Coordinates of all heavy atoms in Angstrom, one line a residue:
M75 N 0.9 -1.2 0.0 CA 0.0 0.0 0.0 C 0.9 1.2 0.0 O 2.0 1.2 0.6 CB -0.9 0.0 1.3 CG -1.6 1.2 1.5 SD -2.6 1.4 3.1 CE -3.2 -0.2 3.4
I76 N 0.5 2.3 -0.6 CA 1.2 3.6 -0.7 C 0.5 4.6 0.2 O -0.7 4.8 0.1 CB 1.2 4.1 -2.2 CG1 1.8 3.0 -3.1 CG2 2.0 5.4 -2.3 CD1 3.3 2.8 -2.9
C77 N 1.3 5.3 1.0 CA 0.7 6.4 1.8 C 0.2 7.5 0.9 O 0.8 7.9 0.0 CB 1.9 6.9 2.7 SG 1.3 8.3 3.7
K78 N -1.0 8.0 1.3 CA -1.7 9.0 0.5 C -1.0 10.3 0.7 O -1.1 11.2 -0.2 CB -3.1 9.1 1.0 CG -4.0 7.9 0.8 CD -5.4 8.1 1.5 CE -6.1 6.8 1.4 NZ -7.4 6.9 2.1
R79 N -0.3 10.5 1.8 CA 0.3 11.9 2.0 C 1.7 12.0 1.5 O 2.1 12.9 0.8 CB 0.3 12.1 3.5 CG 0.8 13.5 3.9 CD 0.5 13.8 5.3 NE 0.9 15.2 5.6 CZ 1.1 15.6 6.8 NH1 1.0 14.8 7.8 NH2 1.5 16.8 7.0
C80 N 2.6 11.0 1.9 CA 4.0 11.1 1.5 C 4.4 10.2 0.4 O 5.6 10.3 -0.1 CB 4.9 10.9 2.8 SG 4.8 9.3 3.4
G81 N 3.6 9.2 0.0 CA 4.0 8.3 -1.0 C 4.9 7.2 -0.7 O 5.3 6.4 -1.5
T82 N 5.1 7.0 0.6 CA 6.0 5.9 1.1 C 5.2 4.5 1.0 O 4.0 4.5 1.3 CB 6.4 6.1 2.6 OG1 7.0 7.4 2.7 CG2 7.3 5.0 3.1
E83 N 5.9 3.5 0.7 CA 5.3 2.2 0.6 C 5.3 1.6 2.0 O 6.3 1.6 2.7 CB 6.1 1.2 -0.3 CG 5.3 -0.1 -0.6 CD 6.0 -0.9 -1.6 OE1 6.8 -0.4 -2.4 OE2 5.7 -2.1 -1.6
I84 N 4.0 1.3 2.4 CA 3.8 0.7 3.8 C 3.1 -0.6 3.7 O 2.6 -1.0 2.6 CB 3.0 1.7 4.7 CG1 1.7 2.1 4.0 CG2 3.8 2.9 5.0 CD1 0.8 3.0 4.9
A85 N 3.0 -1.3 4.8 CA 2.4 -2.6 4.9 C 0.9 -2.5 4.6 O 0.3 -1.4 4.9 CB 2.6 -3.3 6.2
D86 N 0.3 -3.6 4.0 CA -1.1 -3.5 3.7 C -2.0 -3.3 5.0 O -3.1 -2.8 4.9 CB -1.6 -4.7 2.9 CG -1.0 -4.7 1.5 OD1 -0.7 -3.6 1.0 OD2 -0.8 -5.8 0.9
K87 N -1.6 -3.9 6.1 CA -2.4 -3.9 7.3 C -2.0 -2.7 8.2 O -2.5 -2.6 9.3 CB -2.3 -5.2 8.0 CG -2.9 -6.4 7.3 CD -2.8 -7.6 8.1 CE -3.4 -8.8 7.3 NZ -3.4 -10.0 8.1
A88 N -1.1 -1.8 7.8 CA -0.7 -0.7 8.6 C -1.9 0.2 8.9 O -2.7 0.5 8.1 CB 0.4 0.0 7.9
L89 N -1.9 0.7 10.2 CA -2.9 1.6 10.6 C -2.5 3.1 10.3 O -3.3 4.0 10.0 CB -3.3 1.5 12.0 CG -3.9 0.1 12.4 CD1 -4.1 0.1 13.9 CD2 -5.2 -0.1 11.7
I90 N -1.2 3.3 10.4 CA -0.6 4.6 10.1 C 0.7 4.5 9.3 O 1.3 3.4 9.3 CB -0.3 5.4 11.4 CG1 0.7 4.7 12.3 CG2 -1.6 5.7 12.2 CD1 1.3 5.5 13.4
C91 N 1.1 5.5 8.6 CA 2.3 5.5 7.9 C 3.5 5.7 8.9 O 3.4 6.6 9.8 CB 2.3 6.7 6.9 SG 3.9 6.9 6.1
Y92 N 4.5 4.9 8.8 CA 5.6 5.0 9.8 C 6.5 6.2 9.5 O 7.2 6.6 10.4 CB 6.4 3.7 9.7 CG 7.2 3.5 8.4 CD1 8.5 4.0 8.3 CD2 6.6 2.7 7.4 CE1 9.1 3.8 7.1 CE2 7.3 2.6 6.2 CZ 8.6 3.1 6.1 OH 9.3 2.9 4.9
R93 N 6.3 6.8 8.4 CA 7.2 7.9 8.0 C 6.6 9.2 8.4 O 7.2 10.1 9.0 CB 7.5 7.9 6.6 CG 8.5 8.9 6.2 CD 9.1 8.5 4.9 NE 10.5 8.8 4.9 CZ 11.2 8.8 3.8 NH1 10.7 8.5 2.6 NH2 12.5 9.1 3.9
C94 N 5.3 9.5 8.0 CA 4.6 10.8 8.3 C 3.5 10.7 9.3 O 3.1 11.8 9.8 CB 4.1 11.4 7.0 SG 2.7 10.5 6.3
G95 N 3.1 9.5 9.7 CA 2.1 9.4 10.8 C 0.6 9.6 10.3 O -0.3 9.6 11.1
T96 N 0.4 9.6 9.1 CA -0.9 9.8 8.5 C -1.7 8.4 8.7 O -1.2 7.4 8.4 CB -0.9 10.2 7.0 OG1 -0.2 11.4 6.9 CG2 -2.3 10.4 6.5
A97 N -3.0 8.5 9.1 CA -3.8 7.3 9.2 C -4.1 6.8 7.9 O -4.3 7.6 6.9 CB -5.1 7.7 10.0
T98 N -4.2 5.5 7.7 CA -4.5 4.9 6.5 C -6.0 4.6 6.3 O -6.4 4.4 5.2 CB -3.8 3.5 6.3 OG1 -4.2 2.6 7.4 CG2 -2.3 3.7 6.4
A99 N -6.8 4.7 7.4 CA -8.2 4.5 7.3 C -8.9 5.4 8.3 O -8.2 5.9 9.2 CB -8.6 3.0 7.6
G100 N -10.2 5.5 8.2 CA -11.0 6.3 9.1 C -11.0 5.6 10.5 O -10.7 4.4 10.6
P101 N -11.5 6.3 11.5 CA -11.6 5.6 12.8 C -12.7 4.5 12.8 O -13.7 4.6 12.1 CB -12.1 6.8 13.7 CG -12.7 7.8 12.8 CD -12.0 7.6 11.5
R102 N -12.4 3.4 13.5 CA -13.3 2.3 13.6 C -14.5 2.6 14.4 O -15.6 2.1 14.1 CB -12.6 1.1 14.2 CG -11.5 0.5 13.3 CD -10.9 -0.7 13.9 NE -9.8 -1.2 13.1 CZ -9.1 -2.2 13.4 NH1 -9.2 -2.8 14.6 NH2 -8.1 -2.6 12.6
V103 N -14.3 3.4 15.5 CA -15.4 3.8 16.3 C -15.6 5.3 16.1 O -14.7 6.0 16.4 CB -15.1 3.5 17.8 CG1 -16.3 4.0 18.7 CG2 -14.9 2.0 18.0
P104 N -16.8 5.7 15.7 CA -16.9 7.2 15.5 C -16.9 7.9 16.9 O -17.3 7.4 17.9 CB -18.3 7.3 14.9 CG -19.0 6.0 15.2 CD -18.0 5.0 15.4
P105 N -16.4 9.1 16.9 CA -16.3 9.9 18.1 C -17.7 10.2 18.6 O -18.7 10.3 17.8 CB -15.6 11.2 17.7 CG -15.7 11.3 16.3 CD -15.9 9.9 15.8
P106 N -17.9 10.3 20.0 CA -19.3 10.6 20.5 C -19.8 11.9 20.0 O -19.0 12.9 19.9 CB -19.1 10.5 22.0 CG -17.6 10.7 22.2 CD -16.9 10.2 21.0
A107 N -21.0 12.0 19.8 CA -21.7 13.2 19.4 C -21.7 14.2 20.6 O -21.9 13.8 21.7 CB -23.0 13.0 18.9
R108 N -21.4 15.5 20.3 CA -21.4 16.5 21.3 C -22.9 16.7 21.7 O -23.7 16.8 20.8 CB -20.8 17.8 20.8 CG -19.3 17.6 20.6 CD -18.6 18.8 20.2 NE -18.7 19.8 21.2 CZ -18.4 21.1 21.1 NH1 -18.0 21.5 19.9 NH2 -18.5 21.9 22.1
P109 N -23.2 16.9 23.0 CA -24.6 17.2 23.3 C -25.0 18.6 22.8 O -24.1 19.5 22.8 CB -24.6 17.1 24.9 CG -23.1 17.4 25.3 CD -22.3 16.8 24.1
P110 N -26.2 18.8 22.5 CA -26.6 20.1 22.0 C -26.4 21.1 23.1 O -26.6 20.9 24.3 CB -28.0 19.9 21.6 CG -28.5 18.7 22.3 CD -27.3 17.8 22.5
A111 N -26.0 22.3 22.7 CA -25.8 23.4 23.7 C -27.2 23.8 24.3 O -28.2 23.8 23.6 CB -25.2 24.6 23.0
L112 N -27.2 24.0 25.6 CA -28.4 24.4 26.2 C -28.6 25.9 25.9 O -27.8 26.7 26.1 CB -28.3 24.2 27.8 CG -28.1 22.8 28.2 CD1 -27.9 22.8 29.7 CD2 -29.4 22.0 27.9
R113 N -29.8 26.1 25.4 CA -30.2 27.5 25.2 C -30.9 28.1 26.4 O -31.9 27.5 26.8 CB -31.1 27.6 23.9 CG -30.3 27.1 22.6 CD -31.1 27.4 21.4 NE -31.2 28.9 21.3 CZ -32.0 29.5 20.4 NH1 -32.8 28.8 19.7 NH2 -32.0 30.8 20.4
R114 N -30.5 29.2 26.8 CA -31.1 29.8 28.0 C -31.8 31.1 27.5 O -31.3 31.8 26.6 CB -30.1 30.2 29.0 CG -29.4 29.0 29.6 CD -28.5 29.4 30.7 NE -27.9 28.3 31.3 CZ -27.0 28.3 32.2 NH1 -26.6 29.5 32.7 NH2 -26.4 27.3 32.7
S115 N -33.0 31.3 28.0 CA -33.7 32.5 27.6 C -33.1 33.7 28.3 O -32.5 33.6 29.3 CB -35.2 32.4 28.0 OG -35.3 32.4 29.4
I116 N -33.2 34.8 27.6 CA -32.6 36.1 28.2 C -33.7 36.9 28.9 O -33.4 38.0 29.4 CB -31.9 36.9 27.1 CG1 -32.9 37.3 26.0 CG2 -30.7 36.2 26.5 CD1 -32.4 38.3 25.0
G117 N -34.9 36.3 29.0 CA -36.0 37.0 29.7 C -35.7 37.5 31.1 O -35.9 38.6 31.4
P118 N -35.2 36.6 31.9 CA -34.9 37.0 33.3 C -33.8 38.1 33.4 O -33.9 39.0 34.2 CB -34.4 35.7 34.0 CG -35.0 34.6 33.2 CD -35.1 35.1 31.8
S119 N -32.8 38.0 32.5 CA -31.8 39.0 32.5 C -32.4 40.4 32.1 O -32.0 41.4 32.7 CB -30.6 38.7 31.6 OG -30.0 37.5 32.0
V120 N -33.2 40.4 31.1 CA -33.8 41.6 30.6 C -34.7 42.2 31.7 O -34.7 43.4 32.0 CB -34.6 41.4 29.3 CG1 -35.4 42.6 28.9 CG2 -33.7 41.0 28.2
L121 N -35.5 41.3 32.4 CA -36.4 41.8 33.5 C -35.5 42.4 34.6 O -35.9 43.4 35.2 CB -37.2 40.7 34.0 CG -38.4 40.2 33.1 CD1 -39.1 39.0 33.7 CD2 -39.3 41.4 32.8
A122 N -34.4 41.8 34.9 CA -33.5 42.3 36.0 C -33.0 43.7 35.6 O -32.9 44.6 36.4 CB -32.4 41.4 36.3
L123 N -32.6 43.8 34.3 CA -32.1 45.1 33.8 C -33.2 46.2 33.9 O -32.9 47.4 34.3 CB -31.5 45.0 32.4 CG -30.2 44.3 32.3 CD1 -29.8 44.1 30.9 CD2 -29.1 45.1 33.0
I124 N -34.4 45.8 33.5 CA -35.5 46.8 33.6 C -35.7 47.2 35.0 O -36.0 48.4 35.3 CB -36.7 46.2 32.9 CG1 -36.6 46.1 31.4 CG2 -38.0 47.0 33.3 CD1 -37.7 45.3 30.7
A125 N -35.7 46.2 36.0 CA -35.9 46.5 37.4 C -34.8 47.5 37.9 O -35.1 48.4 38.6 CB -35.9 45.2 38.2
L126 N -33.6 47.3 37.4 CA -32.5 48.2 37.8 C -32.7 49.6 37.3 O -32.5 50.6 38.1 CB -31.1 47.7 37.2 CG -30.4 46.6 38.0 CD1 -29.2 46.1 37.2 CD2 -30.0 47.1 39.3
V127 N -33.2 49.7 36.1 CA -33.4 51.1 35.5 C -34.6 51.7 36.2 O -34.5 52.9 36.6 CB -33.7 51.0 34.0 CG1 -34.2 52.3 33.5 CG2 -32.4 50.5 33.3
L128 N -35.6 51.0 36.5 CA -36.8 51.6 37.2 C -36.4 52.0 38.6 O -36.8 53.0 39.1 CB -38.0 50.6 37.2 CG -38.7 50.4 35.9 CD1 -39.7 49.3 36.0 CD2 -39.2 51.6 35.3
A129 N -35.7 51.1 39.3 CA -35.2 51.5 40.7 C -34.4 52.7 40.7 O -34.5 53.6 41.5 CB -34.5 50.3 41.3
A130 N -33.5 52.8 39.7 CA -32.6 54.0 39.6 C -33.4 55.3 39.3 O -33.2 56.3 40.0 CB -31.5 53.8 38.6
A131 N -34.4 55.1 38.4 CA -35.3 56.3 38.2 C -36.1 56.7 39.3 O -36.3 57.8 39.6 CB -36.1 56.0 37.0
F132 N -36.6 55.7 40.1 CA -37.4 56.0 41.3 C -36.5 56.6 42.3 O -37.0 57.5 43.1 CB -38.0 54.7 41.8 CG -38.9 54.9 43.0 CD1 -40.1 55.4 42.8 CD2 -38.5 54.5 44.2 CE1 -41.0 55.6 43.9 CE2 -39.3 54.7 45.3 CZ -40.5 55.3 45.2
M133 N -35.3 56.2 42.5 CA -34.4 56.8 43.6 C -34.1 58.2 43.3 O -34.0 59.0 44.2 CB -33.1 56.0 43.6 CG -33.3 54.7 44.3 SD -31.8 53.8 44.5 CE -30.9 54.7 45.8
T134 N -34.0 58.6 42.0 CA -33.7 60.0 41.7 C -34.9 60.9 41.9 O -34.8 62.1 42.2 CB -33.2 60.1 40.2 OG1 -34.2 59.7 39.4 CG2 -31.9 59.4 40.0
R135 N -36.1 60.3 41.8 CA -37.3 61.2 41.9 C -38.0 61.1 43.2 O -38.9 61.9 43.5 CB -38.3 60.8 40.8 CG -37.8 61.0 39.4 CD -38.8 60.9 38.4 NE -38.4 60.9 37.0 CZ -37.9 61.9 36.4 NH1 -37.7 63.0 36.9 NH2 -37.5 61.7 35.1
A136 N -37.7 60.1 44.0 CA -38.3 59.9 45.3 C -37.9 60.9 46.3 O -36.8 61.4 46.3 CB -38.0 58.5 45.8
P137 N -38.7 61.2 47.3 CA -38.4 62.1 48.3 C -37.3 61.4 49.2 O -37.0 60.2 49.1 CB -39.6 62.4 49.1 CG -40.6 61.3 48.7 CD -40.1 60.8 47.4
L138 N -36.7 62.1 50.0 CA -35.6 61.6 50.8 C -36.0 60.7 52.0 O -35.3 60.5 53.0 CB -34.7 62.7 51.4 CG -34.0 63.5 50.3 CD1 -33.2 64.7 50.9 CD2 -33.1 62.6 49.5
A139 N -37.2 60.2 51.9 CA -37.7 59.3 53.0 C -36.9 58.0 52.9 O -36.4 57.6 51.9 CB -39.2 59.0 52.8
A140 N -36.8 57.3 54.1 CA -36.0 56.1 54.2 C -36.6 54.9 53.5 O -36.0 54.1 52.9 CB -35.7 55.8 55.7
A141 N -38.0 54.8 53.6 CA -38.7 53.6 53.2 C -38.5 53.5 51.6 O -38.2 52.4 51.2 CB -40.1 53.6 53.6
P142 N -38.9 54.5 50.8 CA -38.7 54.3 49.4 C -37.3 54.0 48.9 O -37.0 53.3 48.0 CB -39.2 55.7 48.8 CG -40.1 56.2 49.8 CD -39.5 55.8 51.1
R143 N -36.3 54.6 49.6 CA -34.9 54.4 49.3 C -34.5 53.0 49.6 O -33.8 52.3 48.8 CB -34.0 55.4 50.0 CG -34.1 56.8 49.4 CD -32.7 57.2 49.2 NE -32.8 58.6 48.7 CZ -32.2 59.0 47.6 NH1 -31.5 58.1 46.9 NH2 -32.4 60.2 47.1
A144 N -35.0 52.5 50.7 CA -34.7 51.1 51.2 C -35.2 50.1 50.2 O -34.6 49.1 49.8 CB -35.2 50.8 52.6
I145 N -36.5 50.4 49.7 CA -37.1 49.5 48.8 C -36.3 49.5 47.5 O -36.1 48.5 46.8 CB -38.6 49.8 48.6 CG1 -39.4 49.6 49.8 CG2 -39.2 49.1 47.4 CD1 -40.8 50.1 49.8
S146 N -35.9 50.7 47.0 CA -35.2 50.8 45.8 C -33.8 50.0 45.9 O -33.4 49.3 45.0 CB -34.9 52.2 45.4 OG -36.1 52.9 45.2
W147 N -33.2 50.1 47.0 CA -31.9 49.4 47.2 C -32.1 47.9 47.2 O -31.3 47.2 46.7 CB -31.2 49.9 48.5 CG -30.5 51.2 48.3 CD1 -30.8 52.4 48.9 CD2 -29.3 51.4 47.5 NE1 -29.9 53.3 48.4 CE2 -29.0 52.8 47.6 CE3 -28.6 50.6 46.6 CZ2 -28.0 53.4 46.9 CZ3 -27.5 51.2 46.0 CH2 -27.2 52.6 46.1
I148 N -33.2 47.5 47.8 CA -33.5 46.1 47.8 C -33.7 45.5 46.3 O -33.2 44.5 45.9 CB -34.7 45.7 48.7 CG1 -34.3 46.0 50.1 CG2 -35.2 44.3 48.4 CD1 -35.5 45.9 51.1
V149 N -34.5 46.3 45.6 CA -34.8 46.0 44.2 C -33.5 45.9 43.4 O -33.2 45.0 42.6 CB -35.8 47.0 43.6 CG1 -35.9 46.7 42.0 CG2 -37.1 46.8 44.2
I150 N -32.6 46.9 43.6 CA -31.3 47.0 42.9 C -30.5 45.8 43.3 O -29.9 45.1 42.4 CB -30.6 48.3 43.2 CG1 -31.3 49.4 42.5 CG2 -29.1 48.2 42.8 CD1 -30.7 50.8 42.9
G151 N -30.4 45.4 44.5 CA -29.7 44.2 45.0 C -30.1 43.0 44.4 O -29.4 42.1 43.9
L152 N -31.5 42.8 44.4 CA -32.1 41.6 43.8 C -31.8 41.5 42.3 O -31.4 40.4 41.8 CB -33.5 41.5 44.1 CG -33.9 41.2 45.5 CD1 -35.4 41.4 45.7 CD2 -33.4 39.9 46.0
A153 N -31.9 42.6 41.6 CA -31.7 42.6 40.2 C -30.2 42.3 39.9 O -29.9 41.6 39.0 CB -32.1 44.0 39.6
A154 N -29.3 43.0 40.6 CA -27.9 42.7 40.4 C -27.5 41.3 40.7 O -26.8 40.6 40.0 CB -27.0 43.6 41.3
A155 N -28.1 40.7 41.7 CA -27.9 39.3 42.1 C -28.4 38.4 41.0 O -27.7 37.4 40.6 CB -28.6 38.9 43.4
A156 N -29.6 38.7 40.4 CA -30.1 37.9 39.3 C -29.2 37.9 38.1 O -28.9 36.9 37.4 CB -31.5 38.4 38.9
I157 N -28.7 39.1 37.8 CA -27.8 39.3 36.6 C -26.5 38.5 36.9 O -26.0 37.8 36.0 CB -27.5 40.8 36.3 CG1 -28.8 41.4 35.8 CG2 -26.4 40.9 35.3 CD1 -28.6 42.9 35.7
L158 N -25.9 38.6 38.1 CA -24.7 37.9 38.4 C -24.9 36.4 38.3 O -24.0 35.6 37.8 CB -24.1 38.3 39.7 CG -23.4 39.6 39.8 CD1 -23.1 40.0 41.2 CD2 -22.2 39.6 38.9
W159 N -26.0 36.0 38.8 CA -26.3 34.5 38.8 C -26.4 34.0 37.4 O -25.9 32.9 37.1 CB -27.6 34.3 39.6 CG -28.0 32.9 39.6 CD1 -27.3 31.8 40.0 CD2 -29.3 32.3 39.3 NE1 -28.0 30.6 40.0 CE2 -29.2 30.9 39.5 CE3 -30.5 32.9 38.9 CZ2 -30.3 30.1 39.3 CZ3 -31.6 32.1 38.7 CH2 -31.5 30.7 38.9
R160 N -27.0 34.8 36.5 CA -27.1 34.4 35.1 C -25.7 34.4 34.4 O -25.4 33.4 33.6 CB -28.1 35.3 34.3 CG -29.5 35.3 34.8 CD -30.1 34.0 34.4 NE -30.3 34.0 33.0 CZ -30.8 33.0 32.3 NH1 -31.3 32.0 32.8 NH2 -30.9 33.1 30.9
V161 N -24.9 35.4 34.7 CA -23.6 35.5 34.0 C -22.7 34.4 34.5 O -22.0 33.7 33.8 CB -23.0 36.9 34.3 CG1 -21.6 36.9 33.8 CG2 -23.8 38.0 33.5
L162 N -22.7 34.2 35.9 CA -21.7 33.2 36.4 C -22.2 31.8 36.1 O -21.4 30.9 36.1 CB -21.6 33.4 37.9 CG -20.9 34.7 38.3 CD1 -20.8 34.9 39.8 CD2 -19.5 34.8 37.7
G163 N -23.5 31.6 35.9 CA -24.0 30.3 35.6 C -23.7 29.8 34.2 O -23.7 28.6 33.9
R164 N -23.3 30.7 33.3 CA -23.0 30.3 31.9 C -21.5 29.9 31.8 O -21.1 29.3 30.8 CB -23.1 31.6 31.0 CG -24.6 31.9 30.9 CD -24.7 33.1 29.9 NE -26.1 33.6 30.0 CZ -26.9 33.5 28.9 NH1 -26.4 33.0 27.8 NH2 -28.1 33.9 29.0
R165 N -20.7 30.1 32.8 CA -19.3 29.6 32.7 C -19.2 28.1 32.8 O -19.9 27.5 33.6 CB -18.4 30.3 33.8 CG -18.4 31.8 33.5 CD -17.4 32.4 34.4 NE -17.3 33.9 34.2 CZ -16.7 34.7 34.9 NH1 -16.1 34.3 36.0 NH2 -16.6 36.0 34.7
P166 N -18.3 27.5 32.1 CA -18.1 26.0 32.2 C -17.5 25.6 33.5 O -16.8 26.3 34.1 CB -17.3 25.7 31.0 CG -16.7 26.9 30.5 CD -17.5 28.1 31.1

């Protein structure tokens, strides 16, 4: 048999060319198929960003009372936590 890559004569039952290392045949066992990528919706991330924008807008217009500011900070914290959770959850 002649190597397809370098033209060296090799044995008929050889799996690879001894000179260049090229395989003489395809793999006997096909490689396992990759699992399909999980698609995640961006809905929760968009909702968290909208909550951040609304909370920031409310904080700039709200009176200096403690209760509305505390609620805004809670909403901002929850939205930021949701965004971080989504971003860090995508890493392998």
Side-chain angles (χ1 to χ4, degrees):
M75 170 187 325
I76 303 292
C77 176
K78 296 174 187 175
R79 184 171 183 199
C80 67
T82 304
E83 188 171 340
I84 53 177
D86 289 337
K87 294 183 180 181
L89 297 177
I90 61 169
C91 173
Y92 68 87
R93 189 160 217 192
C94 67
T96 302
T98 58
R102 291 183 183 176
V103 178
R108 294 180 66 189
L112 295 176
R113 296 190 66 193
R114 295 183 181 181
S115 68
I116 61 170
S119 298
V120 171
L121 289 176
L123 285 174
I124 291 172
L126 279 174
V127 170
L128 290 176
F132 182 74
M133 284 181 72
T134 59
R135 301 194 190 286
L138 295 177
R143 289 228 178 233
I145 292 171
S146 296
W147 281 111
I148 290 170
V149 169
I150 287 172
L152 290 173
I157 291 171
L158 283 174
W159 181 49
R160 297 286 293 180
V161 169
L162 295 177
R164 292 178 186 251
R165 292 188 179 170

